[in-house]
């Protein structure tokens, strides 16, 4: 790589090294003109462009130029300051996105687990404010059923017959219902339901064990337990409430070079869904 392809900037004392082509993503911006020596406000000192602006905020500018996406930390709050920086550098598509804070701010997500233990069965109902989280969780949870004989019931898997997976009950896009344990069928036969929660490969029949694995899975997925309470004392329904900050959908800028545009980048917004 030749020296002309590498550009070094000192922004507010913070040093950045990048390609000239990265700074030229938007040809009408001041950064693109700086590379072409068309903006004299940016001084070249000892081979580095000196820029008297905020270096910490410029790191987000560089991330945007490299990915053409706006992706900010969940605790970010300086939207107006970053918008002013984008305007200073002539990155008006970025400034336009930053002016719409509601699209970029993370949202609080609530999830509730209801658990009831009745005789030899345990009942679960999971409700979430974000339907995509419930969809992802439904893909992790599998209920297996099989008919077992009372003889030899003490073994982990008494029946030699393969267990059959059952679809989860989905009353709405925001909740799911399932159960585990055993119930009498006919004679000395039992119907048994096991629960498996990925990435754990075990098939659990004990409701308390399933509850422990489910809560642990949610905690590992970034949720925080904020309350536990008994909803119905007669039925012994326990309620566990979780919350987490869900990152907003990333916003991407699509740059198209069109005939007759004199090299001006045309930008449009599109949403890019991040991890659930």
């Amino acid at each position: 790589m030749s020296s002309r392809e590498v550009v070094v900037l000192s922004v507010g004392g913070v040093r950045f090294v990048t390609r000239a082509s990265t700074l030229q993503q938007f040809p009408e911006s001041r950064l693109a003109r700086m590379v072409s020596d068309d903006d004299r406000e940016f001084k070249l000192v000892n081979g580095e462009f000196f820029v008297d602006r905020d270096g910490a905020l410029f790191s987000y500018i560089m991330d945007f130029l490299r990915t053409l996406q706006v992706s900010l930390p969940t605790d970010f709050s300086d939207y107006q300051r970053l918008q002013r920086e984008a305007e200073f550098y002539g990155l008006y598509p970025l400034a336009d996105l930053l002016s719409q804070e509601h699209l970029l701010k993370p949202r609080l997500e609530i999830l509730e687990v209801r658990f009831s233990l009745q005789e030899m069965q345990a009942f679960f109902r999971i409700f979430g404010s974000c339907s995509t989280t419930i969809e992802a969780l439904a893909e992790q949870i599998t209920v297996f059923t099989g008919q077992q004989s009372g003889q030899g019931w003490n073994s982990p898997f008494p029946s030699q017959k393969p267990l059959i997976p059952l679809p989860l009950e989905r009353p709405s896009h925001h909740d799911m219902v399932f159960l585990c344990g055993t119930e009498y069928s006919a004679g000395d036969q039992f119907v048994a339901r096991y629960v498996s929660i990925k990435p754990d490969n075990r098939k659990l029949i004990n409701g308390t064990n399933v509850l422990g694995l489910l809560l642990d899975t949610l905690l590992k997925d970034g949720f925080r337990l904020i309350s536990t309470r008994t909803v119905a004392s007669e039925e012994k329904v326990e309620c566990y409430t979780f919350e987490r900050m869900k990152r907003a959908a990333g916003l991407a800028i699509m740059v198209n070079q069109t005939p007759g545009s004199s090299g001006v980048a045309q930008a449009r917004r599109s949403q890019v869904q991040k991890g659930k």
Side-chain angles (χ1 to χ4, degrees):
M1 183 180 296
S2 68
S3 59
R4 291 185 179 182
E5 292 178 309
V6 178
V7 179
V8 181
L9 302 92
S10 177
V11 184
V14 182
R15 194 168 182 265
F16 296 88
V17 181
T18 186
R19 295 172 180 266
S21 58
T22 300
L23 299 174
Q24 293 171 324
Q25 287 278 18
F26 296 85
E28 297 301 310
S29 71
R30 296 188 67 183
L31 291 172
R33 298 202 305 271
M34 175 192 72
V35 175
S36 304
D37 296 325
D38 291 335
D39 195 316
R40 299 190 178 278
E41 184 173 339
F42 298 126
K43 304 297 184 182
L44 191 61
V45 181
N46 297 326
E48 299 182 6
F49 285 100
F50 174 74
V51 186
D52 190 17
R53 303 294 292 192
D54 190 305
L57 291 178
F58 190 73
S59 65
Y60 300 115
I61 300 284
M62 284 304 307
D63 182 65
F64 167 73
L65 291 174
R66 287 167 174 152
T67 65
L68 296 182
Q69 293 185 18
V70 185
S71 181
L72 301 172
T74 55
D75 59 350
F76 186 81
S77 59
D78 289 335
Y79 292 93
Q80 292 184 349
R81 290 182 59 213
L82 185 55
Q83 181 184 350
R84 287 198 301 268
E85 294 300 295
E87 291 172 346
F88 171 80
Y89 293 111
L91 297 170
Y92 297 109
L94 173 59
D96 177 51
L97 292 182
L98 291 168
S99 68
Q100 305 177 66
E101 289 185 31
H102 65 283
L103 296 177
L104 297 170
K105 285 185 174 179
R107 298 178 181 178
L108 182 64
E109 181 180 358
I110 302 295
L111 188 140
E112 182 180 275
V113 176
R114 295 198 175 195
F115 169 72
S116 175
L117 192 60
Q118 300 176 16
E119 296 182 353
M120 300 176 67
Q121 289 185 309
F123 297 82
F124 293 83
R125 182 163 190 166
I126 304 175
F127 173 84
S129 59
C130 179
S131 60
T132 55
T133 297
I134 297 298
E135 291 288 345
L137 195 56
E139 293 179 1
Q140 290 180 260
I141 299 174
T142 306
V143 177
F144 297 89
T145 185
Q147 201 169 50
Q148 318 287 352
S149 172
Q151 298 178 351
W153 179 249
N154 292 326
S155 61
F157 299 97
S159 174
Q160 298 301 315
K161 298 179 180 179
L163 297 176
I164 302 171
L166 291 176
L168 299 178
E169 293 184 42
R170 296 293 307 277
S172 73
H173 292 296
H174 289 272
D175 62 343
M176 70 176 77
V177 178
F178 63 93
L179 60 88
C180 66
T182 62
E183 63 179 340
Y184 285 105
S185 175
D188 64 346
Q189 297 293 309
F190 289 86
V191 173
R193 289 184 177 87
Y194 300 84
V195 173
S196 175
I197 305 177
K198 296 177 182 177
D200 194 295
N201 293 320
R202 292 174 297 170
K203 295 180 177 66
L204 303 177
I205 195 170
N206 182 282
T208 303
N209 293 340
V210 173
L211 176 65
L213 178 58
L214 175 60
L215 300 187
D216 186 59
T217 300
L218 295 174
L219 292 172
K220 289 180 179 178
D221 201 29
F223 281 98
R224 182 171 66 94
L225 180 63
I226 58 174
S227 72
T228 60
R229 67 185 192 277
T230 301
V231 179
S233 57
E234 297 82 6
E235 299 177 356
K236 297 181 180 180
V237 179
E238 300 173 2
C239 179
Y240 300 82
T241 304
F242 295 81
E243 71 175 16
R244 73 174 175 183
M245 295 302 295
K246 182 177 175 62
R247 185 183 294 274
L251 294 179
I253 297 288
M254 304 302 294
V255 181
N256 299 317
Q257 298 293 339
T258 57
S261 64
S262 302
V264 178
Q266 305 295 318
R268 65 181 177 86
R269 284 194 302 274
S270 66
Q271 290 197 358
V272 179
Q273 184 66 44
K274 295 289 183 184
K276 300 174 183 177

